[in-house]
């Protein structure tokens, strides 16, 4: 199953220059199944969805111990070193949905987060990496609906989209009309991406028609905004449910499937992510559509970022290492990544407190 070459990633043909004479190679290009429709970075291909087809997932079985064994190969063995690690970490930054979802969020906090989103890596580190001409930015800024306006204002001209959680985040248990109205409000405020939460009861009672119809209605309420469906996998009890909910969300037209809100007891894990990616791959084989993936919740370290990047590359290939198909939802991972990059360019570790929070 695991065919990735030793010491991934392979060097690309055009490495970016680093001032010290080292290079930060771009990630290797590994072709994904040529059957899939894959858009380029920054392009906005939508997943149109399909009719509900329970026959695609009804008989699914997930082997828990095999899933856990496979997931366990990702954290330790696959170490990526030096300039390769730096390249992977820069890539992770470009895929982060920089998030604040706290009860005490203010326009001021969102403004500060937006400044960090524009320049997620300190200028001297960016210069030392040889990326001063094309400084990386994050994938999006993710906030509550009433913070979309301030976020849009603070990000004006940056090209960084604002993502809004909606539909009664995090529980999703308000009546459907209110949940749809919340989506429309966030879109009206300027959100380009909507992170909806599913109604977990519909999964737990196997009400696939109900789940499909609600997500379909949410997609319609999104209009042009992209829909990310948060499955809140920590609430779904079994990996079989995770697979089925992933399939229904994609059939209903989700552009991304996302693991967690960050508020469940258990958030993003590698076994759950692997299960979702297998569903995503199967959906791609059935329909030819490429759907994005967003692990979120509890991801804090550069090591987490590397493990998930390895998972994406091995399971889906190079196109799923770009922000149009991969995001990491995180409120406090960036500081550790910046610290690791600083170590790469200076040879020294600084305290986490030397890096802006986020
Ligand atoms: O969608 C993003 C998550 O809510 C972030 O969770 P986190 O605060 O554990 O990073």
């Amino acid at each position: 199953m695991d065919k990735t070459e030793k010491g991934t990633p392979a060097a690309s043909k055009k490495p970016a220059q680093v001032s010290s004479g080292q290079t930060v190679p771009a990630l290797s290009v590994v072709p994904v199944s040529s059957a899939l429709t894959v858009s380029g970075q920054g392009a906005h291909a939508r997943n149109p969805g399909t009719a509900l087809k329970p026959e695609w997932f009804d008989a699914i079985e997930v082997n828990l111990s095999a899933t856990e064994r496979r997931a366990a190969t990702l954290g330790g063995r696959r170490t990526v070193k030096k300039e390769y690690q730096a390249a992977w970490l820069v890539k992770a930054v470009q895929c982060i949905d920089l998030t604040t979802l706290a009860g005490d969020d203010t326009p001021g906090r969102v403004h500060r987060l937006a400044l960090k989103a524009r320049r997620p890596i300190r200028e001297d580190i960016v210069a030392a990496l040889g990326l001063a001409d094309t400084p990386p930015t994050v994938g999006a800024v993710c906030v509550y609906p009433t913070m979309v306006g301030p976020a849009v204002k603070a990000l004006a001209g940056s090209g960084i989209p604002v993502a809004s959680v909606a539909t009664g985040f995090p529980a999703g248990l308000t009546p459907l009309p209110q949940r749809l109205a919340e989506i429309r409000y966030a879109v009206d405020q300027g959100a380009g991406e909507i992170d909806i939460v599913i109604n977990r009861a519909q999964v737990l009672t196997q009400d696939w028609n109900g789940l499909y119809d609600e997500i379909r209605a949410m997609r319609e309420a999104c209009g042009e905004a992209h829909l990310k469906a948060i499955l809140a996998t920590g609430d779904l009890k079994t990996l079989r449910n995770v697979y089925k909910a992933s399939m229904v969300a994609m059939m209903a037209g989700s552009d991304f499937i996302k693991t967690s809100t960050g508020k469940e007891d258990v958030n993003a894990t590698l076994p759950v992510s692997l299960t979702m990616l297998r569903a995503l791959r199967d959906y791609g084989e059935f329909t030819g559509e490429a759907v994005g993936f967003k692990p979120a919740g509890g991801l804090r370290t550069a090591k987490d970022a590397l493990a998930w990047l390895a998972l994406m590359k091995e399971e889906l290939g190079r196109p799923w290492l770009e922000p149009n198909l991969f995001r990491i939802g995180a409120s406090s991972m960036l500081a550790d990544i910046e610290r690791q990059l600083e170590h790469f360019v200076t040879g020294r570790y600084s305290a986490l407190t030397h890096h802006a929070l986020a």
Side-chain angles (χ1 to χ4, degrees), residues 286-340:
F286 281 128
T287 64
E289 298 297 334
V291 174
F293 178 68
K294 178 175 170 181
L299 301 182
R300 303 265 178 272
T301 63
K303 197 173 167 208
D304 290 333
L306 295 171
W308 261 271
L309 284 168
L311 176 70
M312 299 309 290
K313 182 166 179 280
E314 291 181 8
E315 288 294 317
L316 295 169
R318 179 65 180 87
W320 271 266
L321 294 177
E322 297 294 344
N324 63 326
L325 287 172
F326 180 56
R327 299 288 179 81
I328 301 170
S331 60
S332 49
M333 169 187 265
L334 190 50
D336 190 48
I337 292 183
E338 196 181 30
R339 190 166 162 261
Q340 300 301 333

Side-chain angles (χ1 to χ4, degrees), residues 169 230-234 258-264 266-269 272 276 294-297:
F169 180 97
I230 306 175
L231 305 184
T233 53
K258 171 175 169 182
T259 59
S260 319
T261 65
K263 315 289 185 192
E264 288 84 58
V266 179
N267 289 283
T269 68
V272 153
M276 291 172 74
K294 178 175 170 181

